[in-house]
Amino acid sequence: MKQLLLLMSLLGCTLNMKAQNEEPWRNNGHFEIGFSADAWNLEIGYARMFTRWLGIGASLQMDNDYSGKSLVDFLVESADSYDYDNDDIGRVSLTPSFVFRTPALRLSKKTEPGDGLLLQVEPGVMLSIPVNESEDIPDPDYISQIHVEPGSGIHAFRIPTIRIKNTDGKWLYWRVKTSLGYKIGQGFLYVAYNISNYSIYDSRRNIMINGNRVHDFPERRFTGTLSIGANFSF
């Protein structure tokens, strides 16, 4: 037992010394906010660089369409109080990717060595949830049975709803993000544009009643997102 504790202590000291001596550019975190034609999103991520110019990373993207609740409201609601809402569409995506980065280009002699403009490209995939959502839809059979006499005025009815689930929802997409940043010290600020075949509406696109889609969501071959963010090394 003493030998095991000694071995664990030595291993811990070795890992601690390695972390202290490791180059700060190897570990990268980032935070960004982006906007597309259909939604806005927040993204946080981490990348491990094997060299200064090559690494792998993963990010978590949370997006919400413009007509729904704010993303903050969507996240803070408890599972017990949440109910399906036709105007509240949000998805969460895990995005693993490769990271390719250029050396920083100094803009003047006054710029510190290593600082300047850089380009970063991240090809990867998106794994998105929920895949197939459900919605509470007014019961069409009940509505068809309501008889209103012409000229009788406006009447309010309590129409029962039925819950219908989406079918053939997509969960796997490709994405390529390109970032132009300005490096200062151990971090850089950047503007990014990513293109993908992702759609926030795919989890509800195929909700059907009597063979017809409930929603008329836009069909897009590609989705482009413009974002701003900050990357920091540690």
Side-chain angles (χ1 to χ4, degrees):
M1 186 64 179
K2 290 183 179 180
Q3 290 84 349
L4 179 59
L5 291 174
L6 178 61
L7 181 60
M8 292 178 64
S9 298
L10 291 174
L11 179 60
C13 292
T14 302
L15 292 175
N16 184 55
M17 292 177 61
K18 183 178 179 181
Q20 291 179 351
N21 295 329
E22 193 171 54
E23 300 91 335
W25 49 263
R26 288 194 179 275
N27 298 295
N28 289 248
H30 76 268
F31 174 85
E32 69 181 65
I33 181 171
F35 303 89
S36 69
D38 300 320
W40 68 285
N41 63 73
L42 296 176
E43 180 178 317
I44 55 175
Y46 168 80
R48 172 70 175 182
M49 304 299 291
F50 303 123
T51 72
R52 291 182 181 271
W53 329 123
L54 173 64
I56 58 174
S59 61
L60 191 67
Q61 175 179 305
M62 299 163 284
D63 56 330
N64 205 192
D65 78 316
Y66 294 122
S67 62
K69 300 176 183 178
S70 72
L71 188 61
V72 175
D73 291 337
F74 180 79
L75 294 176
V76 300
E77 286 182 331
S78 67
D80 294 334
S81 65
Y82 180 76
D83 197 9
Y84 294 106
D85 185 343
N86 292 0
D87 295 327
D88 185 14
I89 302 178
R91 302 185 81 186
V92 179
S93 303
L94 177 66
T95 307
S97 62
F98 292 101
V99 179
F100 302 97
R101 184 181 300 168
T102 66
L105 176 64
R106 296 178 66 183
L107 300 182
S108 70
K109 294 182 179 180
K110 296 181 180 180
T111 304
E112 293 292 330
D115 291 353
L117 286 176
L118 60 82
L119 186 68
Q120 182 166 291
V121 180
E122 302 169 61
V125 297
M126 298 178 66
L127 313 174
S128 301
I129 57 172
V131 180
N132 289 305
E133 287 191 90
S134 300
E135 280 190 15
D136 292 328
I137 307 298
D139 188 344
D141 294 331
Y142 181 87
I143 295 175
S144 65
Q145 296 174 13
I146 298 176
H147 178 69
V148 179
E149 293 292 338
S152 61
I154 299 175
H155 298 272
F157 297 91
R158 185 177 179 81
I159 302 175
T161 59
I162 56 176
R163 180 158 293 185
I164 300 179
K165 189 174 184 179
N166 188 70
T167 59
D168 299 324
K170 295 182 180 180
W171 61 275
L172 179 62
Y173 307 88
W174 58 264
R175 187 185 83 160
V176 178
K177 181 168 74 172
T178 304
S179 307
L180 179 64
Y182 189 83
K183 185 176 181 299
I184 304 175
Q186 298 301 325
F188 59 91
L189 302 175
Y190 63 87
V191 177
Y193 182 80
N194 74 62
I195 187 168
S196 70
N197 62 339
Y198 168 80
S199 174
I200 190 174
Y201 300 122
D202 283 344
S203 61
R204 300 195 188 189
R205 190 180 301 280
N206 296 323
I207 294 179
M208 315 280 283
I209 290 183
N210 299 328
N212 298 312
R213 285 180 173 174
V214 172
H215 300 292
D216 184 23
F217 292 132
E219 298 272 2
R220 304 187 192 282
R221 186 176 180 184
F222 303 112
T223 295
T225 301
L226 183 66
S227 58
I228 56 174
N231 184 293
F232 53 93
S233 301
F234 56 93

